[in-house]
Amino acid sequence: MKQEEWRLAWLLCAPAVIVMVAVTAWPIVYSVWLSLQRADLKFPQQQEFVGLENYATVLSNDYWWTAFGITLFITVVSVAIELVLGMALALVMHRTLVARGLVRTATLIPYGIVTVVAAFSWRFAWTPKTGYLAEAFAQGAPLTERASALAVIILAEVWKTTPFMALLLMAGLALVPDDLLKAAAMDGAGWWQRFTKVMLPAMKPAILVALLFRTLDAFRIFDNIFVLTAGANETSSVSMLTYNNLIKGLNLGIGSTMSVLIFLAVAAIAFLFVKIFGAAAPGSDDGGRR
Amino acid sequence: MKTLRWGLIDLLVVVYALVPVLWIVSLSLKTPATLTDGKFIPQEWTLEHYRAIFSTDMFLRALVNSIGIALIATAIAVVLGMLAAYAIARLSFPGKRVLVGLSLLIAMFPQISLISPLFDIERQLGLFDTWAGLIIPYVTFALPLAIYTLSAFFRQIPWELEKAAQMDGATQAQAFRRVIVPLAAPGVFTTAILVFIFAWNDFLFAISLTSTERSRTVPATLSFFTGASQFEDPTGAISAAAVVITIPVVLFVLFFQRRIVAGLTSGAVKG
């Protein structure tokens, strides 16, 4: 009986597992192999094994480190802003007395909208003459200067993903016991005390999930940069740089090397999260938990 | 007083969410002469840009690709996800944690890392620049989302009802069709919307694994819009196309807000 149940379960999971493993695990292995080759599609006959030469090339390259720094900068700044804004938005969605449905519907729009569409909206808004924001707030062309371009990229990223953060946090808010809040209020705890002493501890797992998801997601930033600056004026992210080497430069070896390095960076971030936050991180929970 | 305060805060949220959307709508309706006036509200209105994009093969073809690819990917991901989610929600078996862990891993996987190997593999297999070449990665990356959301929904279904119906004389198939399917349908539907939005949104795969109109989706096509001649500003055309592909998302959100919120939160936190 038990064996039968196991067999049925494995049979049911098999198609999904096969697809997921075949489309991710195998290419990653292949990618590691490619990264050890000189593989330039412009000179296909020169393909040969070069060991770690590609890694040396990438890791000693200024463009790579600039892109890496930019990616980290965008990730840290936008996730930090999103956490604060997302928390505020979650509280509004959770507590508002009027038009709750309207507010939730509105917040889902940035989540659902195609990133490229939103990015074009921001790009046109900051284009001199065309844009209402450029006309009102900017002198010159903000997207052609590094600092202001980065600010616009972060703005676009924050606008688009704060609602997702807020939804995850709202799920955490629902877990805060109401009587505990009331009891704290009776004992004379002010709003801020109730927030930091009662709500935040109860929400910790939700906050961690939201932070982890968004950090790894932000680290992959591509669409917004592609549309807003195309990586000009040193605003490339690592994904953007990899894309340029691969699709524009047709250099499979270097592109794959960058792919592997990004994969390792993401794994390191995930590992750090799990290490720092321990058992509260997702994945350490049993699947059967409600 | 309290209502008024909440009303103002709510208004702020709605403005935050809608302004960039309204801006692109506004741009799409401006006449070419007023496109560069920098005003938020169009001074002269026209549908010219919509007429222009719908009269080109480039956009129509991309729209067909987008719809077809997203629908097929959604169907496959939801079916495969349903099977796995049923096992996770109802059966106990060794390897369940591994499966959940694997899905989580893939949900966080840096997609750019797959671009180089997939680009090469798909070229060798003849999948490059085909619908299948995009559907395969979309299904893969939608599966974790589908499995999470569906298993969260399936866990809430009172499965005892199935036995109760059989006690009352229904056959197993009848019990499943009449009792369980209606209970599971909303969850499956919600998951389908989330997966569709994911596939509809993708840009990275769409631009890396396609090279012609054969399989290029709208988000990828938008970045190739250059206007009818090189002297023509493509702003209006891009805006009109952007509005067209935003409409399905807005409709989903308007009609199924409650379900989408439930799906996103249950899938992400209850794991």
Side-chain angles (χ1 to χ4, degrees), chain B:
Chain B
M1 194 54 213
K2 224 170 174 181
T3 322
L4 187 69
R5 207 179 67 203
W6 275 118
L8 281 177
I9 295 174
D10 290 352
L11 187 70
L12 200 70
V13 174
V14 173
V15 167
Y16 164 88
L18 289 186
V19 159
V21 183
L22 293 178
W23 164 241
I24 203 107
V25 173
S26 152
L27 274 180
S28 76
L29 294 170
K30 286 184 179 180
T31 56
T34 58
L35 258 179
T36 51
D37 64 1
K39 299 227 166 62
F40 191 81
I41 296 161
Q43 310 294 304
E44 294 168 36
W45 304 65
T46 175
L47 286 175
E48 194 180 311
H49 303 300
Y50 290 92
R51 233 172 279 135
I53 56 166
F54 277 107
S55 65
T56 61
D57 257 4
M58 193 182 177
F59 180 71
L60 283 178
R61 198 52 239 242
L63 199 57
V64 171
N65 289 339
S66 261
I67 295 171
I69 290 171
L71 281 180
I72 296 172
T74 303
I76 298 175
V78 168
V79 170
L80 297 188
M82 253 160 61
L83 299 178
Y86 179 87
I88 290 176
R90 288 211 66 195
L91 308 173
S92 62
F93 57 100
K96 191 196 269 194
R97 279 189 59 170
V98 178
L99 176 66
V100 174
L102 176 75
S103 319
L104 197 82
L105 215 67
I106 290 179
M108 299 173 184
F109 199 88
Q111 288 149 354
I112 186 80
S113 290
L114 279 190
I115 296 299
S116 357
L118 274 185
F119 177 73
D120 205 39
I121 294 171
E122 291 203 348
R123 271 182 335 118
Q124 284 165 23
L125 295 177
L127 287 172
F128 183 73
D129 200 23
T130 64
W131 278 26
L134 282 182
I135 290 171
I136 291 168
Y138 289 176
V139 168
T140 308
F141 283 99
L143 266 174
L145 179 71
I147 292 175
Y148 269 55
T149 320
L150 283 167
S151 57
F153 276 118
F154 283 177
R155 259 184 230 125
Q156 291 162 0
I157 293 179
W159 296 91
E160 315 83 66
L161 285 181
E162 191 180 21
K163 285 210 185 77
Q166 276 171 293
M167 296 265 230
D168 290 344
T171 65
Q172 200 179 355
Q174 277 176 329
F176 191 78
R177 209 178 61 232
R178 297 261 171 82
V179 180
I180 298 301
V181 171
L183 285 172
V188 173
F189 186 69
T190 305
T191 309
I193 293 180
L194 293 179
V195 171
F196 184 88
I197 289 180
F198 164 78
W200 190 247
N201 273 348
D202 171 76
F203 178 64
L204 180 59
F205 287 117
I207 199 159
S208 310
L209 301 177
T210 64
S211 59
T212 64
E213 286 177 18
R214 234 172 87 197
S215 56
R216 205 176 266 151
T217 59
V218 181
T221 303
L222 278 187
S223 63
F224 289 100
F225 267 23
T226 47
S229 74
Q230 60 172 331
F231 302 108
E232 198 175 302
D233 182 12
T235 305
I238 290 177
S239 304
V243 170
V244 172
I245 58 167
T246 304
I247 289 170
V249 175
V250 172
L251 288 181
F252 283 148
V253 166
L254 277 182
F255 288 113
F256 307 112
Q257 171 263 121
R258 208 171 292 246
R259 285 196 185 156
I260 296 176
V261 170
L264 280 173
T265 50
S266 70
V269 172
K270 286 176 188 161

Side-chain angles (χ1 to χ4, degrees), chain A residues 5 9-10 17 20 23 27 30 96 98 105-106 112 114 121 129-130 132 159 167-168 216 220 223 252 259 263 286-287, chain B residues 3 10 16-17 19-20 23 36 38 92-94 99 106 108-109 113 116-117 120 140 155 201 203 249 253 257 265 268:
Chain A
E5 188 175 329
W10 285 334
V17 171
M20 288 194 289
V23 184
Y30 185 62
T96 185
V98 284
T105 306
V114 178
S121 174
K129 286 216 256 166
T130 306
Y132 67 105
W159 178 79
L167 284 171
L168 295 190
L216 294 182
R220 305 185 281 204
D223 304 14
L252 271 182
S259 297
F263 178 73
D286 193 83
Chain B
T3 322
D10 290 352
Y16 164 88
V19 159
W23 164 241
T36 51
S92 62
F93 57 100
L99 176 66
I106 290 179
M108 299 173 184
F109 199 88
S113 290
S116 357
D120 205 39
T140 308
R155 259 184 230 125
N201 273 348
F203 178 64
V249 175
V253 166
Q257 171 263 121
T265 50

Side-chain angles (χ1 to χ4, degrees), chain A residues 32 37 55 79 99 112 144 194 199-200 221 234 239:
Chain A
V32 172
Q37 310 276 322
Y55 288 89
V79 172
T144 60
R194 271 176 294 168
M199 287 162 90
L200 282 186
I221 183 169
E234 303 196 313
S239 293

Side-chain angles (χ1 to χ4, degrees), chain A residues 213-260:
Chain A
F213 266 92
R214 272 302 304 145
T215 304
L216 294 182
D217 192 39
F219 194 80
R220 305 185 281 204
I221 183 169
F222 178 78
D223 304 14
N224 273 324
I225 296 180
F226 188 101
V227 172
L228 285 169
T229 66
N233 305 305
E234 303 196 313
T235 54
S236 266
S237 67
V238 282
S239 293
M240 191 73 216
L241 194 66
T242 309
Y243 171 85
N244 277 336
N245 270 287
L246 187 75
I247 306 294
K248 295 248 175 74
L250 291 176
N251 195 326
L252 271 182
I254 295 289
S256 298
T257 306
M258 290 176 173
S259 297
V260 173

